[in-house]
Amino acid sequence: MRPQMPVIPGRGLVKGMKVTLKTLFTRPVTVNYPKVKETPVPRARGVIALDPDACTVCMLCARQCPDWCIYIEGHKEERPPSRPGGRPRVRATLDRFDIDYALCMYCGICVEVCPFDALFWSPDYEYSETEMGEMLHNQDRLLDWLDKVPAAPALEK
């Protein structure tokens, strides 16, 4: 058996006050968000940006999304042949590309599976809305975030 320590009244209070005084005079590790804004790291996951010119409406991102929060519509257009005497080419054109950020869980699967690099992570994180229905962002809004996407790091030799 262990010997019992004598009960000293107020010992817990003294320990608690010691911790309180210690943390009272240290700098906080958080920032006062609305007034002070942190600069995110260059490759931070903020919001998904879209390059509509690179999108071929292959629907891989929408099919792989576990939340089904990506909505894509497109149509096929016939283009003239690239060489004289060739046959006309058919190209898919993007009509609608929407992401519902109220459903999105920011897993990044859509960015990873896009074979044409049409989706990117943008470090912008201030895109909240007051109404739930306004969290459905269309391709024009997603295109606005493309300017904030940092350049990809250089390849190693």
Side-chain angles (χ1 to χ4, degrees):
M1 267 180 118
R2 281 193 299 178
Q4 291 186 344
M5 299 216 12
V7 178
I8 301 171
R11 184 174 180 194
L13 180 67
V14 171
K15 278 183 156 181
M17 289 304 292
K18 181 180 173 186
V19 171
T20 302
L21 289 172
K22 180 180 169 189
T23 57
L24 181 67
F25 298 109
T26 59
R27 292 182 54 88
V29 293
T30 59
V31 295
N32 192 1
Y33 167 64
K35 297 174 186 169
V36 179
K37 295 183 181 174
E38 277 191 79
T39 306
V41 294
R43 303 300 289 174
R45 286 185 177 190
V47 69
I48 297 169
L50 168 72
D51 183 6
D53 297 332
C55 183
T56 60
V57 195
C58 66
M59 307 282 257
L60 277 175
C61 55
R63 283 185 281 169
Q64 294 295 322
C65 179
D67 291 330
W68 293 89
C69 64
I70 300 175
Y71 309 104
I72 301 174
E73 291 177 6
H75 69 278
K76 301 215 183 245
E77 286 183 351
E78 196 169 293
R79 301 276 173 101
S82 57
R83 288 180 266 157
R87 61 182 184 168
R89 296 176 294 154
V90 176
R91 177 165 165 87
T93 305
L94 185 64
D95 291 333
R96 174 186 179 210
F97 193 103
D98 296 345
I99 298 179
D100 190 353
Y101 284 107
L103 297 174
C104 183
M105 65 179 183
Y106 305 94
C107 62
I109 293 174
C110 56
V111 177
E112 296 296 323
V113 300
C114 183
F116 302 101
D117 289 333
L119 296 173
F120 301 94
W121 281 113
S122 172
D124 194 9
Y125 57 90
E126 294 181 303
Y127 54 94
S128 61
E129 301 288 343
T130 56
E131 295 291 324
M132 193 76 144
E134 294 174 6
M135 290 297 288
L136 181 70
H137 295 204
N138 61 8
Q139 73 184 46
D140 296 331
R141 180 89 187 262
L142 298 174
L143 179 62
D144 292 341
W145 286 315
L146 192 61
D147 301 338
K148 297 177 183 175
V149 173
L155 297 174
E156 295 179 11
K157 290 184 179 181

